[in-house]
């Protein structure tokens, strides 16, 4: 009912589920996400009794904690396919330069393009590309499409812009009667240069990430604790909240969430070398 009533909010989710190659029906994924989020919120509500106690205000705090977990879990379920798509895109981007070099070397022997894709698939060296290449082979051998049609279909659904550009270039070379060998050779040189430049750029940005982590996740929590200790000397509450409650939220929720977020961020942006 939600998907039918608010299709604009689920359009990107449907697209990411398709690009992520998650083998679950879209509506089933939405149902599981909503049910899992409410179940996690209920568990958080029960856990609040062990953390805060059983008083009236403690129940309100437990309810606030459960609502917080509900929104966090819904956010995770909604954006998880996008994270998978970004991961697939990054893995394909890392394998693509070496795969193109491999293809250019094989093309130099005069092999057909479909046979080159078959050799890449059999080598099992490019796991990130195996799903895309397998789809190309299935379109050609199982469904009987010609190679250009198979390449065009895969180019429309691949999460990688670089791989899409490669497939469109192959289509143009085939349809215009150009040399696949020369195309792959020039493409391999350009892609390898780009690969080296991106690795160099990433190494230079690591120092910036280190400074950010030190400031936000090491220095800031220490200052936070020191400020709370100083405030506790003159009073027990800040904005109507007990200092002990603020300490628990900061220790068990905020700091772990920031660390988890930073780890996820680093896994997303870092290249697999």
């Amino acid at each position: 009912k939600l998907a039918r009533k608010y299709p604009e909010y689920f359009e990107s989710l449907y697209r990411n589920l398709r690009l992520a190659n998650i083998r679950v029906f879209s509506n089933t994924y939405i149902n599981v996400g909503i049910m899992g989020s409410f179940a996690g919120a209920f568990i958080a509500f029960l856990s609040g009794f062990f953390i805060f106690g059983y008083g009236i205000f403690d129940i309100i705090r437990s309810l606030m904690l459960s609502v917080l977990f509900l929104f966090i879990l819904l956010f995770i379920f909604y954006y998880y396919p996008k994270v998978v798509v970004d991961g697939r895109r990054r893995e394909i981007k890392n394998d693509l330069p070496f795969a193109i070099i491999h293809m250019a070397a094989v093309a130099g022997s005069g092999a057909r393009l479909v046979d080159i894709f078959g050799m890449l698939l059999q080598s099992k060296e490019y796991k990130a590309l195996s799903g895309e290449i397998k789809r190309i082979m299935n379109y050609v051998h199982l469904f009987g499409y010609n190679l250009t049609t198979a390449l065009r279909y895969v180019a429309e659904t691949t999460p990688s812009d670089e791989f899409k550009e490669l497939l469109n270039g192959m289509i143009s070379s085939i349809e215009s009667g150009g040399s696949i060998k020369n195309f792959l050779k020039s493409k391999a040189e350009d892609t390898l240069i780009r690969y080296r430049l991106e690795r160099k750029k990433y190494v230079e940005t690591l120092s910036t990430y280190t400074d950010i982590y030190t400031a936000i996740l090491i220095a800031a929590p220490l200052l936070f604790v020191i400020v709370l200790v100083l405030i506790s000397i003159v009073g027990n509450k800040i904005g109507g909240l007990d200092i002990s409650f603020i300490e628990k939220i900061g220790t068990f929720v905020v700091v772990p969430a920031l660390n988890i977020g930073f780890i996820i961020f680093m896994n997303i942006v870092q290249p697999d070398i």
Side-chain angles (χ1 to χ4, degrees):
K1 291 182 179 180
L2 287 174
R4 289 195 299 268
K5 191 173 182 180
Y6 307 101
E8 64 276 7
Y9 295 105
F10 296 94
E11 183 178 355
S12 61
L13 178 61
Y14 288 151
R15 182 176 182 275
N16 289 327
L17 283 172
R18 182 165 58 90
L19 294 179
N21 200 22
I22 297 177
R23 299 182 179 180
V24 177
F25 290 113
S26 300
N27 290 338
T28 302
Y29 182 86
I30 295 174
N31 292 331
V32 172
I34 295 175
M35 183 182 66
S37 299
F38 277 96
F42 180 71
I43 294 174
F45 178 74
L46 296 180
S47 301
F49 291 111
F50 297 97
I51 299 175
F52 306 117
Y54 298 91
I56 296 178
F57 292 103
D58 296 328
I59 295 176
I60 296 176
R61 294 170 183 172
S62 299
L63 184 61
M64 293 173 58
L65 181 64
S66 66
V67 172
L68 177 63
F69 267 83
L70 174 63
F71 283 104
I72 290 175
L73 292 174
L74 287 174
F75 178 84
I76 291 174
F77 272 102
Y78 188 85
Y79 283 98
Y80 171 73
K82 187 178 186 305
V83 173
V84 175
V85 171
D86 293 338
R88 289 191 61 206
R89 184 182 295 114
R90 178 167 53 88
E91 292 174 355
I92 292 174
K93 187 176 181 180
N94 293 327
D95 287 348
L96 191 59
F98 308 103
I100 295 176
I101 294 173
H102 191 167
M103 295 176 68
V106 177
S109 63
R112 297 185 305 165
L113 186 56
V114 65
D115 296 329
I116 295 175
F117 281 118
M119 293 180 64
L120 289 181
L121 188 61
Q122 292 177 1
S123 66
K124 299 181 180 180
E125 295 180 3
Y126 312 101
K127 295 181 180 180
L129 292 169
S130 61
E132 311 299 316
I133 297 175
K134 189 178 296 183
R135 291 168 56 204
I136 294 174
M137 302 301 290
N138 288 339
Y139 278 130
V140 173
H141 296 299
L142 294 182
F143 298 102
Y145 295 152
N146 57 48
L147 183 58
T148 54
T149 303
L151 294 176
R152 186 172 290 108
Y153 282 160
V154 174
E156 292 175 355
T157 57
T158 182
S160 173
D161 294 334
E162 290 80 6
F163 191 62
K164 180 179 181 179
E165 181 183 351
L166 174 66
L167 297 182
N168 288 331
M170 291 179 178
I171 294 172
S172 300
S173 297
I174 294 173
E175 292 179 344
S176 62
S179 173
I180 290 293
K181 174 184 175 181
N182 295 333
F183 169 76
L184 290 175
K185 182 179 179 180
S186 61
K187 193 68 178 178
E189 295 175 354
D190 295 340
T191 307
L192 190 57
I193 292 174
R194 188 187 306 172
Y195 179 86
R196 290 172 177 172
L197 291 175
E198 289 178 352
R199 293 309 179 276
K200 182 179 179 181
K201 180 181 177 180
Y202 176 75
V203 171
E204 293 174 352
T205 57
L206 279 179
S207 59
T208 304
Y209 295 149
T210 303
D211 295 337
I212 294 174
Y213 182 85
T214 302
I216 297 179
L217 297 175
I218 296 180
L222 291 176
L223 293 175
F224 175 75
V225 172
I226 293 173
V227 170
L228 289 180
V229 171
L230 294 176
I231 294 176
S232 64
I233 297 176
V234 297
N236 296 325
K237 292 186 177 182
I238 299 177
L241 298 175
D242 293 337
I243 292 180
S244 60
F245 173 73
I246 298 176
E247 290 176 347
K248 291 177 181 178
I249 292 295
T251 302
F252 298 107
V253 178
V254 177
V255 175
L258 289 176
N259 277 276
I260 293 173
F262 190 83
I263 292 172
I264 294 173
F265 171 76
M266 290 301 298
N267 286 331
I268 292 174
V269 301
Q270 72 177 354
D272 295 332
I273 301 177

